Amino acid sequence: MPAEPSPLIDPQLRRIDTLRVSVTDRCNYRCTYCMPADGVPHGARDETLTFEEIAALVSLFVRLGIRRVRLTGGEPTVRRDLVELVRLLRAIDGLQEIALSTNGHLLAELAVPLRAAGVDRLNVSLDSLRPDAFRRITGGGDLGRVLEGLAAAARAGFAAIKINAVAIDGFNDGEIVDLCRFAWSRGWVPRFIEEMPMAGGQTYLPGRCLPAAAIRARIGDSEPGARVISDDGGSDRGAGPARYFRLAGAGPEGAARRFGIISPMTEHFCDSCNRLRLSTVGALHACLGHDDAVDLRSPLRAGDLAAVERAIRAGVAAKRPGHTFQLVGLGGPRKAMVQIGG
Ligand code: SAM
């Protein structure tokens, strides 16, 4: 029997157990903080990993200790037959969790088949509850459709649904509490993301990133006598970068009042980063904030799985201690979020 391969541990002794898989670099929305105004170049069709290739890579990653996969993009639901990929991944022994990040536009049709195929958890982007503002920030998105998609997801029985909003001063800072109440009243967890300067800072408006402390203050101030307390425990901690809090005080407490903050800019979490990212064309990125990557597609297509494993280990060995987003214009990556999968 072959020896168990050693797990993926990087030079900072971070154990890697989560893989984000971008299944497409295309998107049906054009979020202003994500998609550069001129769009992004797309890989040729034959450069894109097939579902069988993705599943072969995920199987190998699982042998190396990956336990959770998140499907992302671009917008993963625009990749034709995504449900088929979920079925292939679900059949992989040892893969404990399949999660999906989506803008929700196609969820009304896809929530039930995705859940039936094996998606456990869902993150849905929702930056505003105002239809006009939503249309503006998403470059033409349809809030009504996303709300229908969320309602379908609620009926489909996912283990958890999280609502993700990029928090932008002067855009949705006045909606932080509304987004919390919207999510809480449905049993979901709202999360707020500090905007990152991706794409060489092209999509970034300095000064508009709403810092984690301001997000907590807005939620804490929403009720007389209420306070925000840390709440990182429990089974619903999630495997991702968010730190969790709870609004304690008047009103019902517990899971229904939890919220998360992903704060790469003001309270970064690089020391606990446990993930890798696989791009649509089979490049393995060890850090969202840097452009370096290793090619897994060539050795995979050459049928050399030992070389794929060596490339994965090289990527992990080169994982940077942290991003440098704080150095806006100097420190961010050239790649756009839509190219690597947020
Ligand atoms: N299309 C899917 C979605 O909407 O969730 C998956 C991909 S999207 C790139 C993943 C997440 O990244 C979304 O929640 C999006 O709001 C977030 N995002 C995109 N660009 C960002 C940026 N510059 N800073 C922070 N978050 C960003």
Side-chain angles (χ1 to χ4, degrees):
M1 198 149 128
E4 277 290 298
S6 55
L8 299 173
I9 298 177
D10 82 352
Q12 274 66 45
L13 303 183
R14 294 171 295 192
R15 189 173 181 137
I16 312 297
D17 65 4
T18 300
L19 179 69
R20 302 176 76 107
V21 178
S22 173
V23 298
T24 178
D25 55 9
R26 292 169 193 276
C27 192
N28 44 1
Y29 280 8
R30 294 279 173 278
C31 298
T32 55
Y33 48 74
C34 184
M35 180 78 84
D38 296 338
V40 292
H42 297 294
R45 189 172 289 264
D46 65 346
E47 291 178 340
T48 300
L49 296 181
T50 64
F51 287 165
E52 288 70 25
E53 288 172 332
I54 294 173
L57 286 175
V58 170
S59 290
L60 178 53
F61 275 108
V62 168
R63 279 190 60 237
L64 303 179
I66 292 291
R67 293 291 169 261
R68 301 182 181 88
V69 162
R70 173 170 297 280
L71 302 177
T72 179
E75 171 50 40
T77 59
V78 303
R79 176 119 182 216
R80 191 165 342 138
D81 300 328
L82 178 69
V83 170
E84 197 45 49
L85 173 64
V86 175
R87 279 195 203 103
L88 290 177
L89 298 182
R90 190 74 278 174
I92 295 173
D93 240 9
L95 180 59
Q96 287 170 2
E97 183 179 293
I98 303 175
L100 175 78
S101 289
T102 174
N103 60 29
H105 187 84
L106 294 173
L107 264 188
E109 300 87 50
L110 285 174
V112 167
L114 284 169
R115 176 72 189 116
V119 172
D120 300 299
R121 293 168 167 266
L122 209 58
N123 285 0
V124 181
S125 299
L126 183 63
D127 293 332
S128 175
L129 292 166
R130 296 170 290 151
D132 285 350
F134 184 84
R135 195 173 308 114
R136 254 185 293 124
I137 196 84
T138 55
D142 181 343
L143 178 64
R145 275 197 74 128
V146 174
L147 297 181
E148 277 170 33
L150 276 165
R155 291 190 297 271
F158 291 94
I161 296 179
K162 293 182 178 136
I163 300 297
N164 283 341
V166 178
I168 303 174
D169 205 11
F171 169 67
N172 60 2
D173 53 309
E175 285 192 90
I176 302 291
V177 174
D178 292 345
L179 285 162
C180 284
R181 290 188 177 135
F182 171 84
W184 289 338
S185 67
R186 291 159 176 81
W188 304 333
V189 177
R191 306 194 314 171
F192 301 96
I193 311 173
E194 289 180 347
E195 186 183 356
M196 290 170 265
M198 302 294 291
Q202 278 182 72
T203 56
Y204 190 67
L205 294 173
R208 305 271 313 265
C209 167
L210 193 66
I215 295 168
R216 286 193 292 271
R218 276 179 172 66
I219 297 172
D221 290 347
S222 65
E223 274 179 18
R227 72 209 146 90
V228 166
I229 54 178
S230 179
D231 183 9
D232 267 344
S235 60
D236 199 29
R237 159 76 181 79
R243 295 202 173 99
Y244 286 90
F245 302 89
R246 185 194 309 198
L247 181 63
E253 288 186 28
R257 308 247 295 182
R258 287 179 85 221
F259 63 95
I261 300 185
I262 300 172
S263 47
M265 303 302 285
T266 64
E267 297 170 4
H268 76 79
F269 40 80
C270 298
D271 55 346
S272 62
C273 182
N274 60 351
R275 67 207 75 101
L276 300 171
R277 292 179 153 80
L278 180 66
S279 80
T280 314
V281 295
L284 185 67
H285 294 251
C287 175
L288 179 63
H290 294 280
D291 285 309
D292 41 4
V294 294
D295 171 32
L296 303 186
R297 191 188 61 209
S298 304
L300 179 72
R301 289 195 175 166
D304 189 348
L305 283 185
V308 177
E309 181 177 336
R310 282 197 299 279
I312 292 171
R313 291 192 185 281
V316 171
K319 187 170 164 71
R320 312 282 190 110
H323 65 67
T324 46
F325 282 132
Q326 294 87 341
L327 311 172
V328 176
L330 299 171
R334 289 188 307 279
K335 67 194 178 208
M337 193 71 118
V338 67
Q339 288 174 293
I340 180 60

